[in-house]
Amino acid sequence: AKELDLDDWLGYIEQLEGQDRSSQKNKPVPLTKIDLTISRLRLAQRDFLNLGVDLRRKDYGWLIQLNNEDLQGRIKVPYPDFSNGLLDISLDRLRVKPVKDTEEDAEKADVEISMPPAAELPEVRVLISNLIYDELALGQFSFASSKIPQGIQVERMNIDGSTMTLRSNGSWLTVNGNEKTQLQATFETKDIGTLLAGVGLEGQIDRGRGQGSMEMNWTGSPVDAQLKSLKGVMEFTLED
């Protein structure tokens, strides 16, 4: 395939499931194996070039193997009962590139990101052995969430690396029809200068150790954080 915008496909699949979820649930899947190379895959507003994709039908759903210079690993997708299954993502490496590198990318980055209702999402486990932002190696990333009656509990969202460590957890709840997201985190870095340079803020601080914590909440889903509804406390200490 020359080009595939997975963001558009995911929206299309969500539409189909919403139209007739009960009738789709028990239909057999005719395909059991797919192998392809995609010249350009667009996912989460980012491009992955020359990506090898191998899909295999399994008892739990689909096993997806992905491989290119920025992304390597596997994803286990529950099917057909997606919302009551476990989405298991295990990647050897993931390089996340900045979105706003060109004017075209800047326009794409301004597109509103939406999430399906929490009730339609599965439990999630993510382990990325080597997470890289542009050229900055962040280390190991792990994430785990579980379903609770009011929504989703984020049990952990952690980063362990030579430059920084992050420990965080939170929740995404719906109470009386209103969504609310909460996030708690602690952060420590041995070299804040290198960390800032890695995200495009070079020259601000030379070396430096730092640590901090935050407790934030806002109205809406995890991607709906807006200044007008953002509440909480953030602390940060910087040392030589």
Side-chain angles (χ1 to χ4, degrees):
K2 184 176 180 181
E3 183 173 328
L4 175 64
D5 191 326
L6 195 53
D7 292 331
D8 288 345
W9 271 98
L10 291 175
Y12 176 67
I13 292 170
E14 183 183 336
Q15 270 189 335
L16 287 179
E17 292 186 345
Q19 289 172 0
D20 195 356
R21 185 175 299 273
S22 60
S23 63
Q24 292 287 329
K25 182 176 179 181
N26 295 316
K27 285 185 178 180
V29 178
L31 293 174
T32 60
K33 177 181 177 181
I34 303 174
D35 291 307
L36 68 160
T37 299
I38 302 171
S39 298
R40 177 175 176 264
L41 172 70
R42 186 149 188 88
L43 175 61
Q45 301 181 26
R46 286 172 171 82
D47 293 330
F48 295 93
L49 305 180
N50 301 317
L51 181 67
V53 181
D54 183 299
L55 294 90
R56 296 287 186 274
R57 190 75 168 91
K58 301 292 184 179
D59 292 341
Y60 54 79
W62 286 95
L63 172 63
I64 306 174
Q65 300 278 355
L66 304 167
N67 185 33
N68 80 343
E69 62 179 9
D70 295 324
L71 171 63
Q72 183 179 48
R74 59 102 179 128
I75 302 174
K76 294 181 178 180
V77 181
Y79 186 89
D81 196 3
F82 180 76
S83 62
N84 291 314
L86 171 64
L87 179 62
D88 184 5
I89 302 173
S90 179
L91 304 178
D92 294 327
R93 67 173 178 272
L94 173 62
R95 183 189 302 274
V96 180
K97 296 180 179 179
V99 173
K100 297 190 177 183
D101 284 339
T102 67
E103 184 176 342
E104 179 185 1
D105 289 335
E107 292 176 358
K108 291 176 182 177
D110 291 334
V111 176
E112 183 178 351
I113 300 174
S114 62
M115 294 186 69
E120 296 181 10
L121 295 175
E123 294 191 355
V124 179
R125 298 289 183 272
V126 180
L127 179 62
I128 303 173
S129 299
N130 188 15
L131 176 63
I132 306 167
Y133 179 81
D134 201 9
E135 299 299 325
L136 177 64
L138 294 174
Q140 184 185 86
F141 172 85
S142 62
F143 175 92
S145 69
S146 57
K147 304 186 71 166
I148 57 177
Q150 300 91 346
I152 291 177
Q153 184 74 39
V154 178
E155 299 161 8
R156 68 175 179 275
M157 185 169 61
N158 299 342
I159 295 177
D160 291 281
S162 58
T163 305
M164 64 169 286
T165 59
L166 172 72
R167 296 287 180 273
S168 61
N169 59 73
S171 61
W172 173 20
L173 307 178
T174 300
V175 180
N176 297 325
N178 298 315
E179 291 183 306
K180 183 176 183 180
T181 300
Q182 296 179 312
L183 178 66
Q184 301 86 37
T186 58
F187 168 88
E188 183 175 0
T189 177
K190 299 177 181 178
D191 188 347
I192 193 171
T194 297
L195 190 61
L196 290 175
V199 296
L201 298 174
E202 59 273 354
Q204 304 296 314
I205 297 177
D206 184 20
R207 297 187 297 275
R209 302 170 64 92
Q211 57 185 1
S213 64
M214 61 176 287
E215 294 185 9
M216 308 295 291
N217 67 79
W218 59 90
T219 301
S221 75
V223 299
D224 290 333
Q226 298 181 12
L227 190 59
K228 63 181 180 180
S229 67
L230 199 62
K231 299 178 182 179
V233 177
M234 181 181 295
E235 299 179 351
F236 188 78
T237 303
L238 181 62
E239 303 174 358
D240 292 336

